[in-house]
Structures are given as structure tokens and as C-alpha cells.
């Protein structure tokens, strides 16, 4: 996305080129979007019929940016007699202040034109290049252009209003402006997006924040989020930069759900600006010690939308936690099953894991009691609908082969699960990390049952089932001749033997036998998986390895944060530190903003990590990665009424200290020495 510039406020976002222009694209979602609909597909500026060229782009803030532009070919830039500044901001709607500056000593007349268009494309229509079914119209008015789209009850509008007099036609606005010597001319273009409800109102108007927000409100909210987070002091610039960038991006990705009006975290720009089960849970786990208040609305929303019936179209089953919730046209007319869609085998055990982790950090037993039925339903799903073959494992196979997801683990692209030689297994499949999540969920559910729900018999049952699962798993998934766990079991119960990053998630879950942890750690940091920047999703000698393949060789920051957490859990502090160093060093080359993924090339091949061409950025669980890596480096773990400090800061990071950590406990270091809550947690 280096060629694109984005601004966002929650799930309202705009993506343009580096001139600030928007042109329809079928391979990447350029335009102005809100709640899965594109409200502007064309926004092109010309002066005297010429396109402009960027001198500089000021994009330091996620919700506003400025473009400095000149006309003509690059050879004429030094002698430009005029320039243009496009200052834009976003806050539920979009505004652009357009300023034309005359640098000559005489009066000049300019013809300024902004071509405008709104195709109201659904994000899925852009991905799949589908044609619209409804009717779109454009209605020029006095200094106003209104675009309307209707399809039965689905009604959306884009309204563009100019502060200066304009000649308006169905495809844009033209301004004939006279600029004095060394003078300037300015107009403000306000773009309102309207999402009509059944009673003819914008459905967002009933939400606490409303449909439109001021820049001052957005800035204040960002500052509040940063103020609530712990204060980081360190000597390592990549860590300091990534930490601050992450807090800003996490603040920017929060949006109001139309369903309940609560603040949720969108998963990632541009494709995933909505609630996801897996992504939202992992992001919550990453940021929990730093921003614990993001968890209750997320987990409560997931519980409220928990599956309660058999619905083949949506892959819904009783007790199952959703995969994805969409608000666009294709979901509304059931051309896609995302209203919501439940095609994930791992979000359900992860739900229980998050509930327990949240209580450990906050002591909020009230929420645990409130969500007891949802947690019990999730645990029951693991042993019933999740165990398709009755073998004691969680399997997946979509109920909806037409539009459902084939792979329903975190690596959900079509070719992500393969044998070492590149062949693809049949269905159902049982991926290794999902069994680890199920094991962890049972143990955590047992703790909640014993300590909060006061049901010791249920706790004992869950602990017994977890122990049986761990024994069974270490027998069936372990490949003794190779020293690592199989990526999955195929439909015949045979190992899918590719070497992948998934084995790192097993360490995090605790399902790995102690005598097998060493070989697993060695593989994770060995040359086949570890690129120097991070652990690849697939080892470089496997049949489907591709350093720029989505799930078959790229490096995912989120994946690496969970792996580092798992290595720390099993005592591999140095190995965890190497991953922290690699990922944080990579972040420096992305301006502190870690993308969804980057290429799996060796670190010594280039001086920088190679970009993955269509990576989401910002993405929530990538933004959460520096926070979790910081937790790993400092060894922060809740235990009872205390915070355990067991640092493993890698060499070269220098001083790292964290102040004002949210929570309920005193601080206890690795040697059991007490600290006061105001003391820094530090490693020198």
C-alpha cells in the first residue's frame, strides 16, 4: 500500500493515490467507505485540464492528511508558478479543503475541476468484480451534487457540498477562479455519507457518537486512549516508535457497531473494517494489559451474537462464536453469508481463553458471571459440533461449499493447509493450533468454573478432558522422525506433515509436552522457518513455500507475537527475544506501523523487509503486536493479586521500563520481591 494514502475513523476510511485522487479500481478498494459500502469511487482533481503531481504528503495523523501538489512534468517542478494544497479529514464523513496558490506576480485565472462519482460498491463486489443490481442516480444542485443508490430497502446516499460557487454537473464540479498575484483561492468540499434505515433516517444518528464527528473530537479521543495506556520509557527507537504508532492505530480502528452502539475494534484496512471473532479476540489478548477497557464490549458483542441454531448458509451452530460480521449490500441480500458468518473453528475456544485472561488481569468477575452461559455453550461446542468425527479433536468443514470458507483456521486462504510435498488434504481437517486452543480453553474454563461459577464438578471434568486431549494430541500429531508437530490431521486421521509457524501457537497454549518443547523451539528459530525478521508461515523447503504467498511463506507480525509469547511460556527467553528484535527492527522500515504481513525473504538478502503487495495497514492484530512483544520482553504475567515480572529483553534493546500499568495487583518480580504500583518495571 506504499502507493496509496489512507485516512480513517473507525470503519469509515478513504484510500487515494499520492496525489489525493481516487479512481475506480477492481483489484484494490480505493475510495471513501463506510460500513462496507463505497460512497466515493471517483475524486480526481485537475487544474486547467491537467492532473497534478505530488511534492509531499503529510500523513502523520491517521484521521487527516495534506497533499502538496504542482502541475506539469517533473522537469518543471522547480519553476512552478502555482501549487495546490489538499487538506482532508475524516470523521464519519469526509471533508477536503482545496487551496490554489498563485506564485506569480500577476493575476491568473484557473479552471479547477473535481471529477466525482459514487458506485456504492460493496467490498465483496470489489473483490469479486460483481456488477451492481440496484439503480444509481446523480442529481446536480446549487453548489451540491447528490448521488443516490436504491435496491429495494437498501438506500445509500453521498452528498457533496462546496463552500464556493461551482458549476455542477452529474460527474463533478467546476470552478473558474481568479487569483491575485501571490494570492490564493480556497473552497471546502464536504462529503456526507448517508446510511438510510427503515424509517428514512441515517441509522448512525441514533448511536452515541452519531454519524459525523469533528476533528477535535477524534483528536481528543486519540489523546485519551494514549493517556490511559502505560507510559513507556526505553532506549530503543524502533520499540518506542512502534508502541506509539500502535496506540494511535488502535484508537483509529475503533468504531461504533450499528447493532448495539458499542465501541468495537475493526480488524484492518481496507478489507476487514468490521468485527471478526478470531482477529478481535487476538487483538484483545495482545492489548489487554495496556488497554483493558477494549475487551468488555468486544467479548459481550461476540457472546450476544453466539450461534444458537443450525444454519448451513452461515456455518452457524449452537455455541459457536462468529467469524465475521458485515453491513453491506451483499450480506443484506444474502449473496454472502456474513450477517453474521460463523466459518471459523478457532474463534469459539479463543472466546473462553479471552474471558479468562481478562478476569486474570482485571478481577472483573461480574463479566465472567454475566457470560457464564456463553462460555459454557462455547465449551460444549468444542466437544459436540466441533468434533465432527468423534475423535476428540476440533475439525472443520464448511456447511456452505458455495460461498463459505474452505479453511476455517487463522490461515484461511485456499492453499494454506498442505502436506510437505505441496498436496492439499481433503476435508474435514483438524489443524494443530486449534487443538491447542481447545486444550487451553478447557483449563481456563475449569478455573472460571471453580473460582467464579462455583461448580467444582464441572471444573474437574474440564481438567480431565484437557489432560486426555493433551495426551492424545502428543501421540497423534507428533512426528518423531522430524521433531515437530504436524500442521493438521487429514480426513483419514493421518498427519498433514508440513513444517509451519502453527507449532509456535502450541507453545502458547501449553499443550506441548515438556520433552518436545526444545525441538519445537529449535525449528521455530532454525533457518527453514526464521527469516531473521521473523518466523515464516511455512518453512522454505516445503512444497508450497512462496516468500510472497499469503499464508505459505510470508511473515505475519501477529503470528510472531503469539509465538514469542509461547516461547517465553516454556522458558525460551533468548529465542523469544530474537523474535521480538526481528519484528521490532522490521517495524522501523514501515514507519513504526507493522503491516498485516511482509515477505519471507532472508534478512541478509536485503537491508529492509520486503513489502507484501496487498497487506492491510493498519491492521488491528499487527498494531497489537508491539504491545504483546513488550509484555513478553518484560515478562509481565498476572498471578493472583500480583504481577509477575520475569524479563527477557534481548541484547541491544537497552533500557525498557513501563509505568502506570492498568490492573488490580501489586507488582512482584521474578524473585518474588514486591514493588509498589508506581514503581517502574524495568530491564537495564
Amino acid at each position: 500500500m506504499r502507493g496509496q494514502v489512507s485516512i480513517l475513523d473507525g470503519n469509515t476510511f478513504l484510500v487515494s493515490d499520492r496525489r489525493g485522487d481516487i479512481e475506480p479500481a477492481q483489484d484494490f478498494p480505493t475510495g471513501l467507505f463506510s460500513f462496507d459500502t463505497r460512497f466515493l469511487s471517483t475524486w480526481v482533481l485537475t487544474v486547467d485540464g491537467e492532473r497534478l503531481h505530488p511534492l509531499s504528503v503529510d500523513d502523520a495523523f491517521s484521521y487527516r492528511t495534506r497533499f502538496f501538489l504542482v502541475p506539469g512534468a517533473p522537469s518543471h517542478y522547480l519553476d512552478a508558478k502555482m501549487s495546490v494544497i489538499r487538506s482532508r479529514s475524516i470523521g464519519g464523513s469526509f471533508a477536503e479543503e482545496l487551496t490554489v496558490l498563485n506564485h506569480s506576480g500577476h493575476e491568473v485565472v484557473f479552471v479547477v475541476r473535481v471529477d466525482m462519482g459514487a458506485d456504492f460498491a460493496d467490498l465483496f463486489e470489489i473483490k469479486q468484480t460483481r456488477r451492481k443490481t440496484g439503480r444509481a442516480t446523480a442529481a446536480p444542485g446549487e453548489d451540491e451534487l447528490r448521488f443516490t443508490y436504491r435496491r429495494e430497502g437498501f438506500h445509500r446516499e453521498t452528498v457533496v457540498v462546496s463552500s464556493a460557487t461551482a458549476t455542477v454537473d452529474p460527474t463533478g464540479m467546476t470552478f473558474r477562479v481568479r487569483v491575485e498575484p501571490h494570492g490564493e483561492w480556497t473552497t471546502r468540499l464536504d462529503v456526507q455519507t448517508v446510511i438510510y434505515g427503515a424509517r428514512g433516517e441515517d441509522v448512525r444518528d441514533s448511536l452515541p457518537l452519531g454519524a459525523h464527528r469533528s476533528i477535535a473530537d477524534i483528536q481528543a479521543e486519540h489523546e485519551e486512549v494514549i493517556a490511559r495506556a502505560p507510559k513507556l520509557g526505553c532506549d530503543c527507537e524502533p520499540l518506542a516508535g512502534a508502541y506509539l504508532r500502535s496506540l494511535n492505530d488502535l484508537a483509529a480502528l475503533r468504531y461504533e457497531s450499528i447493532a448495539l452502539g458499542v465501541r468495537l475494534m475493526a480488524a484492518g484496512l481496507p478489507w476487514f473494517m468490521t468485527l471478526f471473532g478470531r482477529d478481535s479476540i487476538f487483538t484483545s489478548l495482545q492489548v489487554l494489559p495496556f488497554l483493558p477497557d477494549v475487551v468488555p464490549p468486544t467479548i459481550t458483542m461476540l457472546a450476544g451474537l453466539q450461534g444458537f441454531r443450525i444454519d448451513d448458509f452461515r456455518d452457524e451452530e449452537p455455541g459457536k462464536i462468529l467469524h465475521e460480521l458485515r453491513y453491506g449490500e451483499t450480506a443484506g441480500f444474502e449473496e454472502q453469508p456474513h450477517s453474521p458468518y460463523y466459518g471459523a473453528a478457532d474463534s469459539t475456544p479463543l472466546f473462553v481463553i479471552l474471558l479468562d485472561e481478562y478476569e486474570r488481569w482485571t478481577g472483573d468477575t461480574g463479566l465472567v458471571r454475566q457470560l457464564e452461559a456463553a462460555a459454557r455453550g462455547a465449551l460444549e461446542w468444542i466437544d459436540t459440533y466441533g468434533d465432527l468425527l468423534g475423535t476428540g479433536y476440533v475439525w472443520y468443514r464448511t456447511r456452505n461449499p458455495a460461498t463459505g470458507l474452505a479453511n476455517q483456521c487463522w490461515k484461511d486462504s485456499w492453499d494454506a493447509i498442505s502436506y510437505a510435498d505441496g498436496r492439499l488434504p481433503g476435508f474435514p481437517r483438524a489443524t494443530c493450533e486449534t487443538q491447542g486452543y481447545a486444550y487451553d480453553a478447557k483449563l481456563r474454563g475449569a478455573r472460571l468454573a471453580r473460582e467464579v461459577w462455583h461448580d467444582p464438578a464441572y471444573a474437574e471434568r474440564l481438567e480431565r478432558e484437557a489432560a486426555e486431549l493433551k495426551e492424545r494430541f502428543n501421540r497423534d500429531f507428533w512426528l518423531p522422525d522430524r521433531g515437530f508437530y504436524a500442521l493438521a490431521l487429514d480426513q483419514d486421521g493421518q498427519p498433514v506433515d508440513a513444517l509451519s509457524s502453527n507449532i509456535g501457537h502450541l507453545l502458547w497454549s501449553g499443550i506441548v509436552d515438556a520433552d518436545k518443547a526444545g525441538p519445537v523451539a529449535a525449528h521455530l528459530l532454525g533457518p527453514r522457518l526464521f527469516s531473521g525478521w521473523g518466523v515464516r508461515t511455512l518453512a522454505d523447503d516445503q512444497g508450497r513455500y512462496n516468500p510472497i504467498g499469503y499464508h505459505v511463506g510470508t511473515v505475519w507480525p501477529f503470528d510472531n507475537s503469539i509465538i514469542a509469547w509461547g516461547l517465553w511460556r516454556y522458558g525460551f527467553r533468548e529465542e523469544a527475544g530474537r523474535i521480538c528484535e526481528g519484528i521490532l527492527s522490521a517495524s522501523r522500515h514501515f514507519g513504526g506501523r507493522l503491516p498485516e504481513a511482509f515477505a519471507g525473504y532472508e534478512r541478509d538478502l536485503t537491508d529492509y523487509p520486503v513489502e507484501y503487495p496487498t497487506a492491510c495497514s493498519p491492521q488491528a492484530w499487527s498494531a497489537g503486536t508491539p504491545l504483546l512483544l513488550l509484555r513478553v520482553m518484560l515478562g509481565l504475567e498476572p498471578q493472583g493479586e500480583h504481577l509477575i515480572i520475569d524479563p527477557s529483553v534481548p541484547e541491544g534493546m537497552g533500557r525498557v521500563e513501563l509505568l502506570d500499568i492498568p490492573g488490580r495487583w501489586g507488582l512482584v518480580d521474578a524473585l518474588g520481591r514486591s514493588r509498589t504500583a508506581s514503581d517502574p518495571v524495568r530491564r537495564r
Side-chain angles (χ1 to χ4, degrees), residues 28 48 56 109 127 139 147 180 235 237 259 280 301 314 318 327 399 469 495 545 575 609 617-618 657 660 663 673:
F28 194 87
D48 294 335
S56 181
V109 175
K127 266 190 172 184
F147 299 97
E180 299 297 320
D235 302 325
E237 187 280 328
S280 299
M301 183 77 163
R314 293 177 176 82
Y327 301 92
R399 293 173 173 271
L469 173 57
Y545 171 72
E575 290 82 353
S617 182
E657 61 185 25
D660 302 330
R673 296 171 296 201

Side-chain angles (χ1 to χ4, degrees), residues 11 138 323 401:
N11 68 354
H323 169 59

Side-chain angles (χ1 to χ4, degrees), residues 405-420:
L405 279 172
N407 275 320
Q408 300 193 353
C409 53
W410 90 257
K411 295 177 180 176
D412 57 5
S413 53
W414 68 275
D415 62 344
I417 308 301
S418 68
Y419 298 99

Side-chain angles (χ1 to χ4, degrees), residues 520-570:
V520 168
H523 278 295
L524 289 167
L525 275 299
R528 299 160 71 191
L529 277 174
F530 191 63
S531 74
W533 297 113
V535 179
R536 302 181 181 95
T537 43
L538 190 66
D540 65 1
D541 60 349
Q542 304 298 283
R544 286 194 175 269
Y545 171 72
N546 179 348
I548 51 173
Y550 194 54
H551 288 129
V552 291
T554 50
V555 174
W556 285 59
F558 131 77
D559 189 26
N560 277 260
S561 72
I562 300 301
I563 293 169
W565 196 1
L567 288 165
W568 182 91
R569 175 173 183 171
Y570 274 79

